[in-house]
Amino acid sequence: MPQPLTVFPLRAPVQSQPFDLIATLQASLNSAAIGLEDGDVVAISSKYAAIAGGRIVELTDVQPTAQARQLANHYQMDAAITQLALEEADHIFGGIELGFLLTTKGGVLSPNAGLDRSNIPSGKAVLLPQAPFQLAETIRAALQQSFDCRIGVILTDSWLMPGRYGTTGIAIAMAGFQPIKDERGKQDLFGNAMTVTQIGVADSLAVCAQVVMGERDEATPFAVARGAAIDFTDAPLSADAVSIPWRHCIYVQSLTLGILPADLMSPQNRHTYSREFPS
């Protein structure tokens, strides 16, 4: 039988300079009188982790190139942010004239390569953590030694679901458990064989953590999820464990190479396309 899932938010000091992330996390656990148990998953804000690692940039120190200035002008962006996105992104798909480039960074689709200017003093930006999977494993090893238990760790971020208002959680890195539960080959309620379903365990836990951690002034960069029934692994994880090739991604492939030809659209869809997505 499925078991209840409980998620505990953990407060921590507001930070804007590099600091000891593991010591701060352990202090937050102690202050909340929460001891870790076998099977717990510790969620950590990727921004908080990035600040701890010194991934903070003074925007006045950034020197935009001609390419960055051209893109910034086209998409109505800050030129310094555009330059950082060019440097940080693994790939840039395009952008919108609201000040954002659609990029991929570490296998995650995100605006502006995950750069963030919220919850940091004005004039600064926070980059995503460097080597996030290695960082997650380092944190896991330290916590397991301190609390004498076997746990999982995720670094959480927020992202935009295609076609939906509002941000939701995503795991940009994880350690200690299988991030995907493969249901292919198993049967559903009516005995039908599952053919494509794979459950994003890590991303689902990141969503739960984001709900209690918040996005604004809550000062709760940590959370502990208990009761998730994770499958442990000590194998090193990477983006390959959770990120599919773009040619298999229905969003990326359909909106780039797989756009429906106009002669195959229904009259209604053709009208909608020309109205909302002018050529």
Side-chain angles (χ1 to χ4, degrees):
M1 285 290 294
Q3 58 186 357
L5 177 67
T6 306
V7 185
F8 305 93
L10 298 173
R11 294 184 62 85
V14 175
Q15 305 281 3
S16 60
Q17 298 293 331
F19 63 98
D20 189 324
L21 178 62
I22 294 174
T24 301
L25 173 52
Q26 290 175 327
S28 292
L29 287 163
N30 293 335
S31 178
I34 295 177
L36 297 181
E37 303 175 0
D38 284 338
D40 285 351
V41 177
V42 177
I44 301 162
S45 160
S46 63
K47 183 190 297 183
Y48 202 66
I51 293 171
R55 296 280 284 165
I56 308 162
V57 178
E58 290 279 357
L59 294 179
T60 54
D61 292 339
V62 178
Q63 300 297 318
T65 61
Q67 181 189 15
R69 293 188 183 280
Q70 185 177 12
L71 283 171
N73 181 64
H74 184 76
Y75 292 115
Q76 300 179 21
M77 296 177 63
D78 179 274
I81 291 294
T82 308
Q83 180 62 41
L84 291 174
L86 286 172
E87 295 173 1
E88 289 291 311
D90 297 328
H91 180 74
I92 298 176
F93 291 98
I96 58 174
E97 295 179 1
L98 294 174
F100 298 100
L101 297 172
L102 177 62
T103 67
T104 177
K105 172 74 173 177
V108 177
L109 286 171
S110 62
N112 299 343
L115 300 174
D116 205 327
R117 286 190 284 182
S118 62
N119 290 313
I120 196 73
S122 179
K124 302 176 186 288
V126 182
L127 312 179
L128 287 176
Q130 208 159 28
F133 285 89
Q134 180 179 334
L135 176 59
E137 175 56 35
T138 298
I139 295 169
R140 180 182 79 109
L143 293 177
Q144 287 189 155
Q145 183 175 15
S146 294
F147 291 92
D148 191 26
C149 60
R150 197 173 186 191
I151 63 167
V153 168
I154 53 177
L155 298 183
T156 70
D157 203 352
S158 57
W159 81 306
L160 295 168
M161 288 284 290
R164 304 286 289 189
Y165 283 119
T167 60
T168 185
I170 189 170
I172 67 166
M174 67 291 304
F177 68 102
Q178 296 291 354
I180 301 293
K181 183 178 181 181
D182 193 347
E183 302 286 26
R184 292 174 297 178
K186 301 175 184 178
Q187 293 184 339
D188 66 11
L189 290 170
F190 297 93
N192 302 305
M194 307 289 282
T195 58
V196 297
T197 300
Q198 300 182 71
I199 299 173
V201 177
D203 287 335
S204 297
L205 290 172
V207 171
C208 295
Q210 286 292 113
V211 169
V212 301
M213 290 162 70
E215 295 273 2
R216 194 170 52 87
D217 62 354
E218 295 85 356
T220 50
F222 307 127
V224 176
R226 182 163 295 163
I230 57 175
D231 294 324
F232 289 115
T233 181
D234 291 322
L237 298 175
S238 69
D240 292 339
V242 287
S243 301
I244 63 175
W246 297 131
R247 67 181 182 278
H248 294 162
C249 175
I250 190 169
Y251 299 114
V252 172
Q253 186 72 358
S254 296
L255 295 175
T256 54
L257 302 180
I259 295 176
L260 191 66
D263 59 348
L264 294 181
M265 292 184 184
S266 67
Q268 180 181 1
N269 287 343
R270 193 179 303 123
H271 171 72
T272 302
Y273 182 88
S274 62
R275 176 169 53 85
E276 297 187 359
F277 304 98
S279 58

